[in-house]
Every structure is written in C-alpha cells, then in structure tokens.
Amino acid sequence: MIKNLILCVSILVLLGSCNTVEKQNFDLLILNATIIDVETGKLLPNKLIGITKDTIRLVDDMAKRENIKGEQLLDVKNKYVMPGLWDMHVHFRGGDSLVEENMNLLPLFLSYGITSVRDAGGDITPSVMIWRDKIQNGTLDGPTIFTSGPKLDGSEPTWPGSIKVVNSKDIEKALDSLQLIGVDYVKMYDGSLSKDAFYGIIQAAEKRGMKTTGHMPLSADLMEAIDYGLDGTEHMYYTLKACSPLADSLTKLNIGYGMMDQILASYDPKLANKVFSKMSDKNVFITPTLYIGKTLSELLDVDHSKDSLLPYIGRGIQQSYQGRIENAKRAQSKGDNSRKKMEQLALDMMGPMYDAGVKIIAGSDCGAFNSFVYPGESLHKELVSFVKAGLTPQQALVTSVINGPKFFELEDYYGSVDIGKVADLVLLDKNPLDNIENISKIIALVKNGKLYKKDSIDKMILKLKEEKK
Ligand SMILES: [Zn+2]
C-alpha cells in the first residue's frame, strides 16, 4: 500500500516537474500582435502567434506567454497582423524569351504583401508550374500560384499558347490536357470562342468538378452560363451586358463589342438587381478589375515614364506595353471613349453588387501586355478603387483575403489568423480598416512560415532593379 502511494506520488512529482520544464516551442513567435479579423472587421489586441513550418500552431493572449518559446521572435507592439493578400487575376506570359522577366515579378508581389496569386492564363505554363512547386517547397521566393494554364479560345485564339476549342471533342481533349498538367481552374477567352463552345466548356468542366471563369463571347448570355454552372466572370463587360434590356436585340446584330456603347447607355438598375441576386444565389464570383480599367482609359493622358515601379519591370515586358498604347491611340482617333464611360458605371455598380451578396474578388490583371499595371501595387490600387466605389475598407479586404481562397474552396486553410491556417501573414504599421491605403505600410511578411522583414524584402527587389541595368 505504502509502496503504491510512493509510486503514485513520484509519478505526480514527475508529471508536475515535466509540466514546468516542458515549453511549447515554435519556429517563429510573433509577440504583442494586434490581429485584424477581416471577416468581422474586429481588432484582437495583445496576441501571441506561434508558427511552425508553414502553419499557424498557436494564437493566444500575451498573458499566456509563460512556457512558450520561439526559435525566432518578432515583437510587433502597436502593429497589425492580417492574412496575406490574394491577387486573383494576374498573367505570366510573353513567350519563352520573357520567362525570366516574368519570374522576376514574383518578389514584387511579396513586397506588396501578396502571398497568393491566381494566374489567369498565358503561354509559359511549364515554367509557371516549376515556380509553383519551388515556391511551395521553399526554394523560390514568391506568392503561392494558382493557375489556369493555357486559356481556352476558339479556332483563332487572340493570345499565343491558348488551346483551340471548336466542338465537343475539342472540349474533352482540352480539359483532359488541363487536368493532366494539374491546373487549378479553367480560364475561357472570347477571341473567337463560339457561344456553344463556351456553354459546352462550362458544362463539361462542371461534370469534372473543375471551376470555370473568364471572358464570355458577347453572343452568349451570362444568366444562361450561370445556369450551366459558370463559377466566375472576369471584368465588367459581361455583367454589364446582362444588365441591359437591349442585350438580346443587340446580340442578334452580331456586332461583338460594338454593342458596348448601347449596353452602357441602356443600363437598368432594376434589371441589374435581378442579375446580382442570381449571381449571389448561384455563388458566382466577379473580378471587376477596376484599376486596370481606369489605367487603360487614361493611357494617353498620363505620363508613365517616371513610374516608380517601371525600373523593376524587364525590358521585354516594358516593350509589350506598347500594344495597348497603340490600341488607345486608335480608339482616340475614332472618338471612342467607351472605356471612360464603362469605368464610371463599373464604380456605380460595386455598392449594389456587394449589397446583393455577390462575391466580388480583387484582381489586378497585371502582367506583360497590360501596360503600367504593376505587380503588387496594382492590387493595392484595386482595393483603393473598391473603397472609392463605396465599399468599406473591411469589405475591400474581404474581396482579397477571404473571397480569394473561397473561389478555390480553400477557406479552411486561408482567410484568417487562426490555428491550423497557412502561415501567410502581412504585418502593417497602420490599420487598413481606418484607411485602406495603410495596406501599403508593410513592415514584414510571413510566407509559408518564412519571415521576411522590410529590409530583406527591399533588398530582394532592389537586386531585381540592379540586375536589369
Ligand atoms: Zn487578364
């Protein structure tokens, strides 16, 4: 009996002593953080965040600091911590000769707090896939890449590298090839894509559980596409078309984008509300790309030669900017100012869309050929545009931080600073809920658990600038 008691006591002493000695150890411990809960817009002050490998393993009050250890410590008193930003519309493209210049854009995203990007189609997919894997295993600095691989277009594709899709056989073959290379979703483009092929892709992809988004041939109808299972729509044209009572009669004229002036002039807010509520009910995401809309509409009015980010962009990509400039000159000589009109209407639509529950996603459309829309900065400007259009800063952040992962049904892994989520964080000097422009006041970044302080980010991108000289 006594023997047993002694055994019991000694076990208890042992357990007790273990408890006092044992410390929870993390790779990175962030102290005194004020966490921004983007979903609710609430601030959670005095927090301790423990990260091991690429995952958040602890979020607790600073008062519980005892027995918690970190290999690396970062004290961020009076600073803000939120999930990293997502840019849901970027392009890696321009052919083999621009592969390196495209790869050099990756650190720029990080320097603006962007920890994930959705590549909306291009012609250098094999390279993009290699970067994606290297970023994931920590051998390349960059945001997590989700990619569509090549776009699907019709018999005469607009963009190089696109897959030609005309009939149902082509559709299955195209989707087979996309699945084989392991793309994350399907991007459609309306260069010469027929209405039937567009609907066919959506239906076939739906059967395979693949997500679809993109441009829509103007011969097609957005509401019908939604019924077939369309998951997203890029830019505002196609939603605008659905909001015009003239859409059907203009479609019959077969004039493509020639219908846009009349579509804009006949915008019907009541019809728009019906369209928005259907988009909301069917969980269709829209990427408005407002900032590139504004940039392209003002292309000839603004001198971009002194843009602070231009020196970070490779010469080949800079040369690719010329195409849009020529387009703008042609439009100007024809007296076509539909881009400017569309920009205003797009701003006006944002509030009603948000109120109807449409999932708006933030995407910049940056990349080669999209003149002076720089990686990173352009996503911040997109968020600023959303606030100018009437969203609150919190709602604007939702479009990036929460709706980005939601598109891929990855909200269990991203979107908040919580235990079990991927350790992709942006650390800010000022609160972006007070002023969305504070999103650029970045003091550090955590990407897949790796800490990048401001000076190391600056060095990384300065190297790009110098290598280019
Ligand atoms: Zn695009």
Side-chain angles (χ1 to χ4, degrees), residues 118 185-188 211-215 230 232-234 407:
R118 187 182 67 167
Y185 71 107
V186 180
K187 169 82 188 293
M188 297 169 289
K211 298 209 178 285
T212 47
T213 188
H215 292 219
L230 182 73
T233 178
E234 305 302 299
F407 178 81

Side-chain angles (χ1 to χ4, degrees), residues 244-259:
S244 162
L246 301 184
D248 286 345
S249 55
L250 288 168
T251 303
K252 289 192 187 112
L253 299 178
N254 214 2
I255 49 174
Y257 285 85
M259 72 168 67

Side-chain angles (χ1 to χ4, degrees), residues 368-385:
F369 299 96
N370 286 353
S371 322
F372 312 112
V373 178
Y374 305 108
E377 181 199 61
S378 54
L379 196 268
H380 289 192
K381 302 246 178 176
E382 185 71 7
L383 298 178
V384 171
S385 302

Side-chain angles (χ1 to χ4, degrees), residues 265-279:
S266 57
Y267 180 80
D268 178 348
K270 269 196 193 141
L271 180 56
N273 283 337
K274 277 191 197 151
V275 170
F276 301 158
S277 78
K278 176 154 180 168
M279 289 171 74

Side-chain angles (χ1 to χ4, degrees), residues 272-289:
N273 283 337
K274 277 191 197 151
V275 170
F276 301 158
S277 78
K278 176 154 180 168
M279 289 171 74
S280 168
D281 290 349
K282 300 278 183 162
N283 207 26
V284 177
F285 292 73
I286 181 165
T287 319
T289 64

Side-chain angles (χ1 to χ4, degrees), residues 89-91 93 120-121 151 159 187 189 215 234-235 289 292 324 364-366 370:
H89 193 130
V90 312
H91 290 285
R93 64 187 176 196
K151 298 171 181 178
W159 292 94
K187 169 82 188 293
Y189 197 82
H215 292 219
E234 305 302 299
H235 321 298
T289 64
I292 188 174
R324 300 252 186 224
S364 68
D365 212 356
C366 67
N370 286 353

